[in-house]
Amino acid sequence: MYEITFHSRGGQGAKSAVMLLGKIFSQLDKNIQAFPEYGPEREGAPVRTFLRISEEEINIKSSIESNDMMIFLDDSLFSEEKIDLLKENGILIINTGSEIQLKRKDVKLYLMDITKVALKIINRNVPNIGLMAFFPFLMNEINEQKFKKDLEELLSHKYSKEIVEKNMKTYDEIKKQIGEKYGKKI
Amino acid sequence: MKMALTGADAAAYAMKQINPDVLPMYPITPQTQIVMKFSEYVANGEVNTELITAESEHSAMSSAIGSSAAGARTMTATSSNGLALMHEIVYIASSMRLPIVMNVVNRALSGPINIHCDHSDSMAERDSGWIQIYNENPQEVYDHNLMAIKLSEDSNILLPTMVLQDGFITSHAMESLNVEADSKVKSFIGKKKYEGYLLDSKNPKTFGAIDLTDYYMEHKYQQHLAIKEVEGKLKTIYKEFEEKFGRKYNVIEEYNTKDSEIVFVAMSSSCGTIRHRINEMKKDGYNVGLIKVRLFRPFPIDEIVKALKDKKKIIVLDRANSPGAIGGPLYEDIVSATKDYKLNIYNIIYGLGGRNFAPKDVDEILLKVVKNQPFVDFHGVRR
């Protein structure tokens, strides 16, 4: 079972992100479980969102306590004790413009200023679709072309053409920056 | 076909395939997602259901009764205080023998006000004469919506059914599930029989008339007899469902009970977490079992007794309290059902108002049970 926790603020689209990823992985014939932690519904409130992906049936129904991947969509929510819930050699993605050093040396750390790109293209701090470019980069079983196509199609069920285009432009820009910063082309 | 749906969306998708004649609705968290999604189906012309936007749950259930008595296949959905507001009318639906199917998304009753899951709302309706089926995940919710229609409308039953799922934990968590083709669903649920209802001018009938000392008790006795037929009928439907769709169900579900001396008895989503922990413990050489009670009303007494009578320690988990009673509602039924056997039955009141229930809670409860004589107590509460 592969387990991911998102830390974000209300309005950043983390819930939509896990639901979209859930649908995409479900189409890849995986068992999935995607759910947010419900609290006060207001923009800016810290919220955790969870995604489980598994070949086997998923029985557990509580929040994730041992993560393969942790994502912080807002760097002000990050503190090193929060990654106590990250497995050894786990993946950590932080949406930030700052340089962050970790005491833990086993963690695979990825830093990217997704918000800056989102603000430029969408004019709002909605980094969720930009972030998606990390998934085909980090997970070998994902075919990037199909992933992007599925993502675009799922978005167009809900949003106008203009919004979908802007989000996909953010995705492309982050994809480019991942290639530049972390070497591997997707 | 595989789909990824939340519990609420799974209920709405089943309702779309059932395409009921009438659906009176009133939104309430966390059920809102169901009627919101269903309204989309109506707006898109994917169903031809008459959608009634009522001004309260009391009116929604009253409308359901009106339409069902007229002969229409009727469904609705609610949660928590919405169900409590329906309470008066809920009893009328079952006593008029109307086969309404209602999705209930379990949420704590106020107060203090709370939107999260526990079973206090539906436990307050356990004596209403409705059939109650508790579901663990979106797959079970989907499947039982289809089966509930068949069960309620059976001419030997004619009783309304609540299809229950846990608020947020199930209703707002997306999972992969199998959904069936529209045509297969249609042939499985069959056409509603419209004979014997109000809109039959050649054979006029009276519904909901006054019934004093002369016949009230006979009518109550008929309800009592009818609900006794439910378990057998549901088992027949389960068999038919399995033949058609390949998924196997029973009124209770035993997991790893064969060689285990200690068993949990629980309902709905927590069963998943317990099963998860059982699988892990098995690897460490510990054998613990689980009995999931799916059909709570009517209570499947014989199956429960058969499953429990040889067990050393039985831990009954109640996600609702009955203040001042001996224990929670599930515990009391288990104790009554097994009264002829001297069993060690523990009762744990847990998860009220959505208090998290994690694998570590399974361990903590087990530890307390192993060390102590039977008790009734809260778990996971600050004291």
Side-chain angles (χ1 to χ4, degrees):
Chain A
M1 186 148 65
Y2 199 85
E3 298 179 290
I4 309 171
T5 298
F6 287 65
H7 285 264
S8 69
R9 293 192 179 276
Q12 287 191 304
K15 188 193 158 195
S16 302
V18 294
M19 295 291 170
L20 288 165
L21 286 167
K23 282 188 176 162
I24 290 171
F25 280 103
S26 172
Q27 284 167 12
L28 292 172
D29 227 23
K30 308 272 187 207
N31 289 305
I32 60 101
Q33 193 185 62
F35 60 105
E37 172 187 66
Y38 283 88
E41 292 179 44
R42 56 179 202 270
E43 253 189 53
V47 61
R48 287 190 306 163
T49 320
F50 308 98
L51 179 64
R52 290 191 169 100
I53 308 159
S54 175
E55 300 292 336
E56 282 93 49
E57 193 185 350
I58 302 170
N59 285 306
I60 189 169
K61 290 278 191 183
S62 62
S63 59
I64 295 172
E65 282 162 4
S66 176
N67 291 275
D68 296 276
M69 187 192 287
M70 289 183 87
I71 295 163
F72 289 80
L73 276 180
D74 186 307
D75 59 1
S76 68
L77 296 172
F78 176 76
S79 62
E80 189 144 353
E81 60 269 24
K82 284 192 182 141
I83 60 167
D84 286 350
L85 299 184
L86 184 65
K87 282 184 190 163
E88 208 177 326
N89 301 315
I91 293 170
L92 173 63
I93 304 171
I94 307 173
N95 171 21
T96 183
S98 322
E99 275 311 308
I100 293 173
Q101 302 289 335
L102 298 179
K103 285 189 210 102
R104 260 177 78 172
K105 294 300 163 210
D106 61 302
V107 174
K108 292 177 199 128
L109 175 66
Y110 297 93
L111 304 173
M112 183 66 63
D113 199 346
I114 310 171
T115 290
K116 190 177 162 191
V117 176
L119 284 174
K120 208 173 106 193
I121 299 172
I122 313 171
N123 207 19
R124 276 183 66 192
N125 180 12
V126 190
N128 59 347
I129 305 303
L131 169 87
M132 294 289 200
F134 273 98
F135 284 86
F137 170 68
L138 293 168
M139 292 176 156
N140 289 330
E141 68 260 46
I142 298 177
N143 173 313
E144 200 270 333
Q145 275 179 333
K146 186 176 181 308
F147 179 83
K148 193 181 153 184
K149 213 177 126 234
D150 288 347
L151 186 61
E152 195 167 349
E153 201 206 309
L154 285 169
L155 280 176
S156 59
H157 291 175
K158 213 173 159 188
Y159 300 104
S160 70
K161 206 175 158 216
E162 192 201 342
I163 292 176
V164 176
E165 271 172 15
K166 281 182 175 169
N167 274 287
M168 294 318 291
K169 218 176 138 188
T170 312
Y171 173 95
D172 283 333
E173 178 58 28
I174 298 299
K175 178 179 143 185
K176 198 182 110 209
Q177 290 192 19
I178 292 171
E180 285 165 6
K181 192 167 177 186
Y182 296 106
K184 189 176 133 192
K185 280 266 181 284
I186 307 168
Chain B
M1 184 176 57
K2 260 229 146 88
M3 266 180 117
L5 297 172
T6 62
D9 285 349
Y13 194 83
M15 283 154 74
K16 178 184 96 153
Q17 293 185 311
I18 293 163
N19 195 359
D21 300 313
V22 180
L23 191 134
M25 62 174 219
Y26 191 82
I28 181 168
T29 302
Q31 172 277 126
T32 306
Q33 203 65 34
I34 298 178
V35 292
M36 226 167 80
K37 192 74 202 170
F38 192 81
S39 308
E40 264 179 53
Y41 293 137
V42 174
N44 294 342
E46 292 174 82
V47 290
N48 43 25
T49 304
E50 181 72 35
L51 193 75
I52 303 171
T53 51
E55 73 274 27
S56 74
E57 285 88 354
H58 192 280
S59 304
M61 185 45 68
S62 300
S63 310
I65 286 176
S67 66
S68 186
R73 184 174 268 169
T74 306
M75 297 183 82
T76 185
T78 196
S79 282
S80 183
N81 288 46
L83 182 56
L85 183 56
M86 285 179 178
H87 179 72
E88 173 192 3
I89 317 298
V90 160
Y91 276 67
I92 297 171
S94 54
S95 62
M96 280 169 70
R97 306 291 297 275
L98 300 172
I100 299 163
V101 173
M102 172 159 67
N103 276 283
V104 175
V105 182
N106 281 116
R107 163 185 157 181
L109 282 175
S110 299
I113 193 163
N114 178 302
I115 59 166
H116 293 285
C117 172
D118 69 35
H119 297 163
S120 54
D121 52 357
S122 57
M123 284 302 163
E125 305 303 329
R126 70 184 165 154
D127 298 336
S128 66
W130 282 58
I131 300 160
Q132 289 192 339
I133 302 171
Y134 287 79
N135 298 285
E136 181 185 321
N137 53 38
Q139 182 75 66
E140 293 189 11
V141 169
Y142 171 79
D143 292 346
H144 283 86
N145 264 277
L146 310 183
M147 290 189 272
I149 294 283
K150 246 178 128 67
L151 179 64
S152 279
E153 289 179 3
D154 186 272
S155 56
N156 290 323
I157 308 285
L158 291 176
L159 287 170
T161 302
M162 291 183 198
V163 179
L164 301 113
Q165 60 176 298
D166 282 351
F168 291 108
I169 304 166
T170 308
S171 68
H172 285 57
M174 182 195 271
E175 287 190 16
S176 354
L177 68 149
N178 287 300
V179 298
E180 306 301 334
D182 291 359
S183 57
K184 277 191 171 177
V185 169
K186 214 169 243 163
S187 84
F188 174 75
I189 59 172
K191 281 214 167 81
K192 187 177 189 300
K193 292 194 191 91
Y194 292 93
E195 304 106 56
Y197 289 99
L198 273 177
L199 289 185
D200 184 357
S201 53
K202 283 183 192 131
N203 300 293
K205 280 200 172 162
T206 301
F207 277 75
I210 193 167
D211 195 0
L212 301 176
T213 46
D214 47 1
Y215 275 112
Y216 181 88
M217 199 152 162
E218 281 70 27
H219 280 131
K220 286 289 139 187
Y221 185 63
Q222 284 179 0
Q223 258 182 276
H224 173 77
L225 294 179
I227 204 161
K228 277 182 175 291
E229 297 297 315
V230 168
E231 189 182 334
K233 183 68 207 170
L234 183 56
K235 283 178 176 169
T236 312
I237 294 172
Y238 278 153
K239 222 170 149 198
E240 199 183 325
F241 188 86
E242 190 192 348
E243 279 161 18
K244 195 140 193 160
F245 302 122
R247 290 185 293 281
K248 194 182 161 98
Y249 289 106
N250 193 16
V251 291
I252 65 165
E253 196 179 286
E254 295 184 57
Y255 190 75
N256 202 43
T257 50
K258 212 173 153 230
D259 300 316
S260 47
E261 295 182 334
I262 302 181
V263 289
F264 279 92
V265 182
M267 300 201 295
S268 297
S269 68
S270 307
C271 294
T273 302
I274 297 169
R275 201 181 305 107
H276 172 86
R277 192 63 195 115
I278 286 175
N279 291 340
E280 287 179 341
M281 285 190 291
K282 231 178 153 174
K283 287 178 200 155
D284 299 331
Y286 298 101
N287 245 341
V288 174
L290 165 69
I291 288 158
K292 172 159 81 177
V293 178
R294 183 176 279 126
L295 180 66
F296 180 69
R297 280 293 176 271
F299 200 63
I301 300 164
D302 295 341
E303 294 253 4
I304 295 273
V305 170
K306 210 173 107 213
L308 292 179
K309 66 180 168 41
D310 300 320
K311 298 298 167 200
K312 284 254 166 68
K313 291 189 179 215
I314 297 155
I315 311 162
V316 181
L317 297 189
D318 264 293
R319 203 160 195 153
N321 189 26
S322 179
I326 300 164
L330 179 60
Y331 169 78
E332 292 197 331
D333 279 356
I334 298 278
V335 169
S336 304
T338 57
K339 64 183 183 305
D340 295 341
Y341 304 85
K342 280 201 170 120
L343 300 176
N344 290 319
I345 308 179
Y346 299 72
N347 188 207
I348 304 285
I349 310 288
Y350 78 106
L352 303 187
R355 177 63 50 89
N356 193 31
F357 181 72
K360 71 166 176 44
D361 295 296
V362 175
D363 294 21
E364 286 169 16
I365 291 168
L366 272 173
L367 214 64
K368 278 190 247 174
V369 163
V370 168
K371 283 185 183 162
N372 293 292
Q373 291 299 309
F375 59 79
V376 175
D377 200 5
F378 277 60
H379 172 78
V381 70
R382 294 187 202 97
R383 305 186 197 232

